[in-house]
Amino acid sequence: MLIQDRVKEILIVKNAHFSNTKLRKYAIVFTKNNYALSYIGWKRNPEESDFSEYYKSIRFLHSGGGYGTNKIKLSIKYLIWMTKLFVFAVQKKNIQNFDHLLLTDFDVALPFYLAKKFNSDINYLYEIRDDFALRYNFPKRLKSVISKIDSKIKNNAALTIHVDESRIRKGDTNFIVIKNTPFDFYQEYTTPNYKLKVAVIGHISNIR
């Protein structure tokens, strides 16, 4: 009798809800390739769903705060979130059954990087959506410290994932680029003669 291979398990961790566009793409691809997915996140708004067809386990370690811009309140929320992540990650029972950890952005990866010194089961993939040192208007010296810590996190990752080539920094070695592009939905069809309309979407501020 043939013994089937054990289904590999992936834990995805992000400081937001699992409905995030790129996370949905990851979830679709991973489940199609027979991975079992679990999710750890931050439920910022109470109306966000607790259910997803792609995850066998969903747990929100932190809640509330929304997506506001109040720097003081947001900073406190991030500190609480990162502390909870560290306490979670340092416990072997929470990590030992996962084959891969997919950690998105600096505030998620840092607690796992620190916990790795106490929990040897931690072996993570580090996805960088935004350069944390550039995301907020930090003092120049603090930006430099964050960048140095970020380099150490990347060097300790099994693999670093960048969203495009512009995010690659000097000294980056073990990385791949996975762009946040739409799925291929091309099909042959005839379109009406519409006038061209262009939508420009993004975030513009005094620091980016």
Side-chain angles (χ1 to χ4, degrees):
M1 182 176 67
L2 293 176
I3 299 175
Q4 292 184 339
D5 292 337
R6 181 179 68 85
V7 174
K8 290 192 174 182
E9 304 222 10
I10 300 176
L11 174 64
I12 299 177
V13 189
K14 182 172 170 54
N15 63 8
H17 193 258
F18 54 76
S19 59
N20 174 275
T21 304
K22 193 167 186 184
L23 288 184
R24 279 185 58 82
K25 294 174 185 175
Y26 277 146
I28 292 170
V29 171
F30 287 144
T31 52
K32 280 185 176 179
N33 286 276
N34 298 318
Y35 284 92
L37 302 182
S38 296
Y39 187 77
I40 295 291
W42 176 349
K43 188 176 184 180
R44 294 172 182 256
N45 293 323
E47 64 271 15
E48 291 175 327
S49 173
D50 292 332
F51 172 77
S52 170
E53 61 185 298
Y54 299 110
Y55 295 95
K56 75 169 197 177
S57 167
I58 295 171
R59 182 179 174 188
F60 294 106
L61 287 186
H62 198 38
S63 61
Y67 296 88
T69 57
N70 184 303
K71 292 182 179 179
I72 295 177
K73 289 183 179 180
L74 198 59
S75 297
I76 294 172
K77 283 285 184 181
Y78 267 106
L79 285 173
I80 296 172
W81 158 247
M82 293 168 74
T83 301
K84 288 181 177 180
L85 279 181
F86 175 79
V87 172
F88 172 85
V90 80
Q91 299 178 66
K92 286 183 176 289
K93 65 179 182 178
N94 292 332
I95 304 298
Q96 61 189 6
N97 293 326
F98 294 105
D99 298 281
H100 306 287
L101 307 176
L102 176 57
L103 313 178
T104 297
D105 283 337
F106 179 85
D107 60 286
V108 170
L110 177 59
F112 280 84
Y113 165 74
L114 296 174
K116 189 175 182 179
K117 300 179 186 301
F118 307 95
N119 184 353
S120 59
D121 289 331
I122 293 176
N123 185 32
Y124 60 88
L125 310 174
Y126 180 26
E127 184 188 40
I128 303 174
R129 303 277 183 89
D130 278 320
D131 192 318
F132 196 80
L134 302 178
R135 185 189 300 177
Y136 302 106
N137 193 19
F138 294 122
K140 188 175 181 180
R141 181 169 293 182
L142 180 56
K143 285 186 178 183
S144 177
V145 171
I146 291 173
S147 293
K148 288 178 181 178
I149 296 174
D150 198 40
S151 294
K152 291 183 178 181
I153 295 173
K154 286 187 280 189
N155 290 338
N156 278 271
L159 184 69
T160 298
I161 303 170
H162 289 293
V163 295
D164 60 51
E165 289 80 2
S166 67
R167 308 300 173 93
I168 301 169
R169 297 289 177 259
K170 183 179 180 181
D172 287 359
T173 53
N174 186 30
F175 66 87
I176 60 172
V177 175
I178 302 178
K179 296 183 178 180
N180 190 17
T181 53
F183 285 115
D184 185 4
F185 55 86
Y186 175 79
Q187 56 181 314
E188 293 285 351
Y189 63 95
T190 302
T191 58
N193 189 23
Y194 289 122
K195 290 183 179 179
L196 177 65
K197 293 184 179 180
V198 178
V200 179
I201 302 172
H203 176 69
I204 299 175
S205 71
N206 62 346
I207 60 169
R208 54 183 293 182

